[in-house]
Amino acid sequence: MEKSKTKQSKYFANTIRIVLIGILVSSCTVLQWRENDEEIFNNFENTNIQNEISYHTIDSLHATIRVQNIFLGKEKPLNLVFLHGSPASSSAWFNYVKDSTLLHRANIVLIDRPGYGYSNFGKEIPEIDKQAKIINEVLAKLALENRIVIGASYGGAIAALQASYSNRVRGVIMISPAIDPTIEKDIWGARFTQWWLTRWLVPTAYRVAGDEKVIHASELSEIENKWPSISIPVYHVHGDADDLVPYENIHYTEKVFQQHKIFTIPNTGHEISWSRPDVITPVLHEMIDVLQ
């Protein structure tokens, strides 16, 4: 009987070890939401799309940011700058980069936000304003004129803030943005990233997302005074069945931005930025039409 219990205990212990190893492997690979430079180049190998990847260090904020440029025509007047949500990386936008209708009209710039992809991966900078300043400095280094900045989810507010820091921004498109501090949802899973007993089990990208999430409402409150001064066009695209970032965020956009336009996507959830390019691409074209 004792031997049987001992075997069961060893079996249980070994099972736990296997599960933990599986979690750790996933943390290091599958759930990090990023591709390295070689993987990106391989992804575009069979296309006519020329990629340029560069890294830009912002010494004052201890950040190094990866940028992917697609400049098929230097004479193109507009630059589409894409900022992803959480957790994610610039790879989330590949369907747009491969869209020939966009490439014929604008240059495209994809940025890994701080803490994600290959921009100081795992070293979170959860402050919205600080992230926005980092992105602005990177874009200044690239000397990009006539920018349309597109931000999804957490990246929505960062995209809008670009208009506060540079007159080179001519338009903003926010996709499913969490921007109203009064209705910011408490995501229970984010707590796992804060408890010392469970934090180490959470994949790195999710830890960064959790650190952003727990202070997101207070961060949104800190930047509320920025919005009334933004006079350029601000488009807000949102699914009316979004169960992660409430659809009611559209009312906040209507209240705080001078030039706004709301695009409601019926019966659609939070995933529209990466799963529904058929819905988002026409919005991009519409803003290009307005600004050209």
Side-chain angles (χ1 to χ4, degrees):
M1 189 72 175
E2 289 298 325
K3 287 184 179 180
S4 176
K5 288 183 178 179
T6 301
K7 286 183 178 180
Q8 289 178 355
S9 298
K10 287 182 177 179
Y11 177 80
F12 179 76
N14 288 333
T15 301
I16 293 297
R17 289 191 191 100
I18 292 170
V19 170
L20 291 177
I21 289 171
I23 292 172
L24 289 174
V25 169
S26 295
S27 177
C28 293
T29 55
V30 179
L31 299 177
Q32 303 302 8
W33 301 95
R34 62 178 186 157
E35 295 185 18
N36 61 36
D37 295 358
E38 183 179 359
E39 288 170 328
I40 289 176
F41 288 133
N42 289 339
N43 195 305
F44 288 88
E45 186 175 14
N46 296 322
T47 71
N48 293 320
I49 300 169
Q50 299 298 314
N51 289 278
E52 176 184 292
I53 294 176
S54 57
Y55 290 80
H56 303 269
T57 299
I58 310 300
D59 292 325
S60 60
L61 294 169
H62 308 291
T64 298
I65 305 300
R66 184 175 73 170
V67 178
Q68 181 184 1
N69 296 322
I70 299 90
F71 293 138
L72 292 191
K74 295 291 185 180
E75 76 284 355
K76 292 175 183 173
L78 292 173
N79 295 284
L80 303 180
V81 179
F82 289 85
L83 304 176
H84 60 82
S86 309
S89 71
S90 57
S91 303
W93 303 107
F94 281 176
N95 284 334
Y96 299 88
V97 174
K98 295 179 179 180
D99 188 321
S100 60
T101 66
L102 288 175
L103 290 172
H104 280 103
R105 304 194 70 189
N107 299 311
I108 293 179
V109 180
L110 309 182
I111 298 178
D112 284 338
R113 290 200 293 106
Y116 297 99
Y118 283 81
S119 294
N120 287 41
F121 184 61
K123 297 180 181 178
E124 69 282 351
I125 298 178
E127 298 85 2
I128 297 175
D129 189 56
K130 188 177 289 187
Q131 283 204 44
K133 288 175 178 175
I134 289 172
I135 300 300
N136 179 61
E137 286 198 42
V138 169
L139 296 176
K141 287 188 174 190
L142 294 170
L144 293 182
E145 302 289 342
N146 300 314
R147 308 168 193 163
I148 297 175
V149 188
I150 303 103
S153 192
Y154 185 95
I158 296 173
L161 274 181
Q162 298 307 304
S164 292
Y165 298 133
S166 176
N167 57 14
R168 295 178 177 180
V169 179
R170 296 186 58 199
V172 171
I173 299 176
M174 303 186 299
I175 306 170
S176 309
I179 196 167
D180 184 347
T182 67
I183 59 173
E184 180 67 0
K185 293 184 73 171
D186 176 27
I187 305 299
W188 189 86
R191 299 174 193 172
F192 278 98
T193 68
Q194 306 302 301
W195 298 334
W196 69 269
L197 276 173
T198 53
R199 183 175 175 85
W200 69 278
L201 292 172
V202 180
T204 304
Y206 285 87
R207 290 202 297 267
V208 175
D211 290 343
E212 291 177 339
K213 187 64 179 176
V214 295
I215 64 168
H216 198 196
S218 61
E219 283 294 305
L220 289 172
S221 295
E222 288 288 327
I223 59 177
E224 278 193 297
N225 62 330
K226 303 279 189 181
W227 308 136
S229 64
I230 295 175
S231 59
I232 63 172
V234 176
Y235 290 0
H236 182 149
V237 188
H238 219 117
D240 64 4
D242 193 326
D243 59 357
L244 186 62
V245 176
Y247 173 71
E248 288 72 23
N249 274 275
I250 66 164
H251 303 309
Y252 187 82
T253 292
E254 292 170 332
K255 180 176 68 173
V256 300
F257 292 108
Q258 296 180 36
Q259 287 194 65
H260 61 265
K261 185 171 182 178
I262 306 298
F263 296 80
T264 297
I265 313 303
N267 307 312
T268 306
H270 189 66
E271 71 286 350
I272 54 176
S273 62
W274 66 87
S275 69
R276 296 295 307 276
D278 60 308
V279 168
I280 303 301
T281 300
V283 177
L284 299 176
H285 280 295
E286 180 173 325
M287 181 165 279
I288 292 172
D289 290 337
V290 168
L291 296 178
Q292 280 186 333

